[in-house]
Amino acid sequence: MKKLSYLYSILFVLVACSTDETQTNNETSDTATTQANKLGVGVSANDLLSDVNFSSLVVEVVYVDGFEPSQTAVNNFVAFLENRIYKPNGITVLKRAITSPGQSSYTNEDIILIEDTNRTQYNNENQIAVWAFFADAESANNTDAGVVLGTAYRNTSFVIYQETIEQLSSGTITNTTSILETTVITHEFGHILGLTNLGSPLQSNHEDGGHPKHCDVESCLMFWQAETGNGVMNMISGGSAPQLDAQCIADLQANGGK
């Protein structure tokens, strides 16, 4: 049976989140443990938000040498998680570097292969695991109209195109890179938590009809203009990453979150 992996990407210039259907040949032979981390985006929203099935979370942050995310962005991500999810036994971040695959760009299939080759943390009896990869090259989905900054592509997996983020924030004020990193990381994880209408059911009518799976509140982290070049930079111009609006928070709370 085909497995659907919905890909939600941060893009700049007027390009919306992309979706795709991907299948890897080795998935059918994986154990039940690894299979639980190879489902569609939003499928594990309740497991991540609540402590019903998993009382702790481990985030496996893997980056290519030279493209480590800032500690500020990692700290901001953990704070975001602590504010939104119930994990009474704690949230752990495991961070390590890998050698560059030596590619000038990455397809979605390349990213999946890197995860399948390097991921070590999977769900166990009490702990749910998340994979985050920080890449040293651009997405192969970039076009003249826009570039991809990040993609949530499985229920517990996302990629951040760190090289592209650093290029976009180059020459700006010193803390812009960490703010942009925080924005992209938390936006992509918002999709993994089921936003908007992607696994965490809507509690009010706030999905943007013109930009599905995004909030229609302009100041919200999940607003589609966070995915435009001018849009994302304008959203962080105040010196901080955008936050979830009250309607998105209500969706998460109704699905087991804080």
Side-chain angles (χ1 to χ4, degrees):
M1 179 180 295
K2 286 188 176 181
K3 296 192 176 295
L4 301 181
S5 295
Y6 297 94
L7 307 177
Y8 293 90
S9 307
I10 292 272
L11 310 181
F12 79 83
V13 187
L14 300 180
V15 182
C17 282
S18 63
T19 63
D20 194 10
E21 297 183 5
T22 60
Q23 181 179 18
T24 55
N25 292 331
N26 63 336
E27 285 191 14
T28 55
S29 62
D30 285 337
T31 66
T33 299
T34 60
Q35 277 291 82
N37 295 96
K38 295 184 177 182
L39 304 176
V41 177
V43 170
S44 294
N46 177 260
D47 283 339
L48 286 160
L49 288 163
S50 76
D51 62 354
V52 173
N53 294 319
F54 300 99
S55 60
S56 65
L57 166 68
V58 59
V59 182
E60 186 175 12
V61 172
V62 174
Y63 59 91
V64 174
D65 275 319
F67 292 88
E68 180 178 1
S70 68
Q71 190 58 49
T72 297
V74 173
N75 292 344
N76 290 342
F77 179 41
V78 172
F80 173 85
L81 294 172
E82 290 174 340
N83 287 333
R84 300 274 71 93
I85 71 175
Y86 286 103
K87 292 293 174 267
N89 290 335
I91 297 169
T92 302
V93 176
L94 303 176
K95 190 165 59 172
R96 75 177 192 279
I98 61 172
T99 302
S100 174
Q103 297 181 210
S104 60
S105 65
Y106 294 106
T107 66
N108 295 327
E109 291 74 19
D110 291 333
I111 295 300
I112 288 171
L113 180 59
I114 290 169
E115 176 185 359
D116 290 346
T117 302
N118 293 279
R119 182 166 180 162
T120 64
Q121 301 297 311
Y122 294 91
N123 299 353
N124 60 36
E125 184 177 354
N126 299 309
Q127 181 173 262
I128 191 167
V130 165
W131 160 272
F133 177 60
F134 290 77
D136 62 333
E138 66 182 22
S139 168
N141 292 325
N142 287 356
T143 67
D144 291 338
V147 299
V148 179
L149 300 183
T151 303
Y153 59 93
R154 280 174 173 166
N155 59 322
T156 62
S157 306
F158 64 100
V159 57
I160 302 298
Y161 290 97
Q162 184 71 14
E163 180 192 54
T164 306
I165 286 176
E166 292 178 6
Q167 290 175 346
L168 184 60
S169 58
S170 175
T172 59
I173 58 176
T174 56
N175 66 337
T176 299
T177 298
S178 63
I179 297 171
L180 184 55
E181 288 172 322
T182 299
T183 301
V184 179
I185 292 167
T186 53
H187 179 100
E188 294 307 327
F189 204 76
H191 286 311
I192 288 175
L193 292 179
L195 297 173
T196 302
N197 198 23
L198 186 63
S200 288
L202 295 176
Q203 300 304 298
S204 60
N205 185 22
H206 67 105
E207 182 179 8
D208 189 336
H211 304 89
K213 312 310 176 188
H214 291 92
C215 182
D216 62 6
V217 176
E218 294 185 8
S219 59
C220 180
L221 173 66
M222 302 309 294
F223 187 61
W224 73 274
Q225 279 193 348
E227 302 175 356
T228 69
N230 291 333
V232 70
M233 298 308 286
N234 288 338
M235 291 183 80
I236 67 174
S237 62
S240 61
Q243 305 296 306
L244 294 174
D245 84 304
Q247 294 179 100
C248 282
I249 291 174
D251 293 348
L252 299 185
Q253 289 173 338
N255 198 24
K258 296 180 180 177

